[in-house]
């Protein structure tokens, strides 16, 4: 039987390792909250035209498409395509802009 190869960038923890990871994250979260920061949740996907607006970032954007699309992923209008950026800078900037006046920064 062939041994499955892990995917780079997608760790899978055993329970003992996950407990340690959760403890570190909880400690960081608690420390940040003590200093006035609060967690937010932003979407990971953005319209492709928004992600590509700033120039050559195509090597940093991962296209999302459905295999069952009738037109196929190459036929979709770019305005309707969604992508994942390698970091969350674009979703965070959009979130801050959309919620201007409602956010309090420490």
């Amino acid at each position: 039987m062939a041994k499955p190869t892990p995917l780079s960038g997608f760790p899978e923890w055993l329970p003992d390792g996950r407990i340690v990871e959760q403890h570190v994250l909880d400690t960081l979260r608690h420390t940040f909250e003590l200093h006035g920061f609060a967690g937010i949740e932003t979407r990971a996907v953005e319209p492709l035209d928004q992600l590509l607006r700033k120039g050559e970032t195509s090597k940093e954007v991962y296209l999302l498409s459905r295999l069952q699309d009738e037109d196929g992923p190459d036929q979709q209008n770019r305005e309707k395509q969604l992508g994942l950026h390698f970091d969350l800078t674009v979703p965070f900037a959009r979130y801050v802009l959309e919620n201007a006046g409602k956010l309090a920064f420490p």
Side-chain angles (χ1 to χ4, degrees):
M1 181 197 246
K3 184 178 179 181
T5 55
L7 293 175
S8 175
F10 297 92
E12 294 181 316
W13 302 101
L14 291 172
D16 289 345
R18 180 68 175 148
I19 289 170
V20 171
E21 180 193 35
Q22 281 300 117
H23 176 71
V24 170
L25 293 174
D26 289 342
T27 301
L28 288 170
R29 185 177 304 108
H30 178 72
T31 302
F32 279 97
E33 288 171 353
L34 285 175
H35 291 87
F37 291 91
I40 62 169
E41 189 71 30
T42 64
R43 63 184 186 224
V45 297
E46 293 290 333
L48 188 59
D49 62 335
Q50 181 72 24
L51 293 174
L52 299 178
R53 179 179 288 173
K54 295 290 183 183
E56 178 56 41
T57 59
S58 61
K59 294 177 182 161
E60 302 167 346
V61 175
Y62 300 91
L63 182 64
L64 274 170
S65 65
R66 294 181 57 167
L67 292 175
Q68 288 78 24
D69 280 345
E70 292 176 11
D71 297 331
D74 294 331
Q75 303 300 320
Q76 292 177 345
N77 185 345
R78 182 178 258 192
E79 295 171 356
K80 295 181 181 179
Q81 287 181 311
L82 296 176
L84 290 167
H85 199 264
F86 77 99
D87 68 7
L88 294 176
T89 304
V90 173
F92 179 67
R94 179 201 40 80
Y95 177 87
V96 171
L97 183 64
E98 287 179 357
N99 294 289
K102 300 176 194 171
L103 299 172
F105 294 96

